[in-house]
Amino acid sequence: MATDYDAPKVSVEEEPANESLEAIRAQRSETAQTPTLDMEDSDTAEGIDLPGADLSHEELRIQVVPEQADEFTCMSCFLVRHRSQLAREKDGAAYCIECEG
């Protein structure tokens, strides 16, 4: 909820003293928001990853593409980059523009 820090502060004497505890609770329950998860009907517990979850039983399936002729591996950040990002090459070691910065 946003707070207006420029608004004049209400002192205890100005607050309505005749409000009952039940009225205050009812007012708060009407405006209270409950947190909800945005889940689809097809989502199940298996589709939700929790932080720190044990994923050791999972198997990754990716295709590794070897370095192409127009690419190089930066010896500073060890990322494969396109030749257009080559800043310098010294003793067979290539460095990218970002690392040479």
Side-chain angles (χ1 to χ4, degrees):
M1 180 174 171
T3 303
D4 185 10
Y5 292 104
D6 294 331
K9 295 187 178 185
V10 178
S11 65
V12 177
E13 295 85 31
E14 295 175 9
E15 289 182 356
N18 57 357
E19 279 191 73
S20 67
L21 181 60
E22 291 81 22
I24 294 172
R25 284 185 182 163
Q27 181 183 10
R28 286 188 181 167
S29 67
E30 290 173 0
T31 60
Q33 296 179 357
T34 58
T36 58
L37 288 175
D38 187 21
M39 295 181 67
E40 295 180 11
D41 294 335
S42 62
D43 288 344
T44 61
E46 291 127 10
I48 300 173
D49 292 332
L50 300 175
D54 180 25
L55 301 175
S56 60
H57 63 280
E58 296 293 326
E59 182 179 332
L60 295 177
R61 295 178 187 214
I62 58 171
Q63 181 182 5
V64 178
V65 179
E67 187 177 293
Q68 303 298 308
D70 61 342
E71 296 176 333
F72 71 97
T73 302
C74 177
M75 290 295 125
S76 181
C77 63
F78 302 104
L79 293 175
V80 177
R81 306 235 180 215
H82 189 264
R83 284 276 175 204
S84 63
Q85 296 180 340
L86 181 64
R88 74 177 171 100
E89 196 167 356
K90 181 178 179 185
D91 298 328
Y95 298 92
C96 70
I97 296 170
E98 290 182 16
C99 292
E100 290 296 307

